[in-house]
Every structure is written in structure tokens, then in C-alpha cells.
Amino acid sequence: MKQEKHIALALTALVAVGASRPVQDDAGLGLTVVRSYRPASSQTVIDVFCRIPLVLVNPIGNTGGGDYRFAVSVKDSTGQELVSQSWLTPVRADLMRTRGASTAERMTFAAAPGRYAVQVSVSDSATGRVTRSESEVRAFATNPAGSDLLPASDVRERAGPE
């Protein structure tokens, strides 16, 4: 049992080295793209995680709260836009007053083998200031030995023999 844990940990570390690296621009917008393969459909599922520091959001009016528009675009290697989504996210006043606070947005899409550009932007509703970040990702062409890893804060042992 102990040896199995060491082997699993070594494999995890090996796969993590090849995982997508977070991209962060000068303003602090963090972008991470993680891939997992679905053999039944021969597709790669791509999760886009964006960390948004709340210093990018200014209060609106006297409420102390604010909001921002998050937009994400995915283009293939020819430049054709495959996904374009945006939504408005409110931010509570108490969060905006918390030093170092950030929030996150997530978007998932399935992709055929190939190269894709993921572009995100955050528009502050109060000032109109726009912060952007971009990352390139390759969808798997064949079933990989392992998918990218998602970081976790805890790992639990299985509950039973099954």
C-alpha cells in the first residue's frame, strides 16, 4: 500500500511537469488552461480558469460594490472563432475592501485535435478599463498517457476495496 502511494505520487509529479503553465499578465490577471482526454468521443475537454484580482474592479455609486464583464474567446489555428461568451459578475463591497482578494471564472469546451488560442478579458463596469490575457493550448491528437492535472487542496484515500 505504501509503495503504491509512492508510485502514484511519482506519476503525478511526472504528469504535472507537462501540464499547462498559468499565464499572468502585468496587471495580475491569471489564466490557466487544463486538458483532459475523452476516449469515447476522441475529444479533449479544455477547462479555462481565470483569476481576477479585485483591484481591477472599482466601486459603482455609493454601495461600495462593483461588477465586471468577463469575456472569453476561443479561436482555432486558422483564426476562426469557435467560442465567444461573456457575462456580468457582481462583486460584493466587503470583498472589494479585502486586501489581496481575487475571484475566479471558469469555462469548459470540447475540442478536436489541433491548436487553439484562448483569449479572456475583464472589463471594469465603473471605469471601462479592460484587462486581457491569452494562452495557447493544443488538444490531444491521440489518447495520451495522462491528462493535465488539476491542483487540489487535499487527496483522500478510497473508501473501500471497490
Side-chain angles (χ1 to χ4, degrees):
M1 178 80 161
K2 193 172 186 178
Q3 186 177 9
E4 289 176 334
K5 286 183 182 179
H6 290 301
I7 292 170
L9 182 60
L11 288 173
T12 300
L14 182 64
V15 175
V17 170
S20 177
R21 299 279 191 264
V23 175
Q24 189 166 335
D25 70 11
D26 294 337
L29 193 63
L31 182 62
T32 302
V33 179
V34 180
R35 306 163 299 166
S36 58
Y37 191 72
R38 301 292 184 251
S41 61
S42 298
Q43 287 187 318
T44 302
V45 175
I46 299 172
D47 289 296
V48 178
F49 299 92
C50 186
R51 185 186 60 81
I52 301 156
L54 294 184
V55 297
L56 298 176
V57 182
N58 290 281
I60 299 174
N62 296 330
T63 66
D67 57 46
Y68 62 87
R69 176 158 300 280
F70 180 78
V72 61
S73 170
V74 178
K75 296 179 182 177
D76 66 13
S77 58
T78 67
Q80 180 179 353
E81 189 169 54
L82 306 174
V83 175
S84 178
Q85 297 179 356
S86 72
W87 54 87
L88 193 65
T89 301
V91 181
R92 296 186 335 248
D94 61 327
L95 289 177
M96 291 185 60
R97 289 189 302 267
T98 304
R99 192 160 110 174
S102 62
T103 187
E105 297 289 350
R106 177 181 180 197
M107 198 272 293
T108 301
F109 65 97
R115 185 174 46 88
Y116 300 89
V118 178
Q119 302 166 332
V120 298
S121 67
V122 173
S123 304
D124 177 34
S125 295
T127 65
R129 180 182 60 211
V130 179
T131 306
R132 293 181 171 82
S133 189
E134 182 174 343
S135 182
E136 184 176 291
V137 62
R138 287 192 179 274
F140 296 113
T142 60
N143 193 353
S147 295
D148 295 342
L149 295 177
L150 288 172
S153 61
D154 193 17
V155 178
R156 63 178 178 212
E157 290 189 39
R158 63 183 180 197
E162 63 280 340

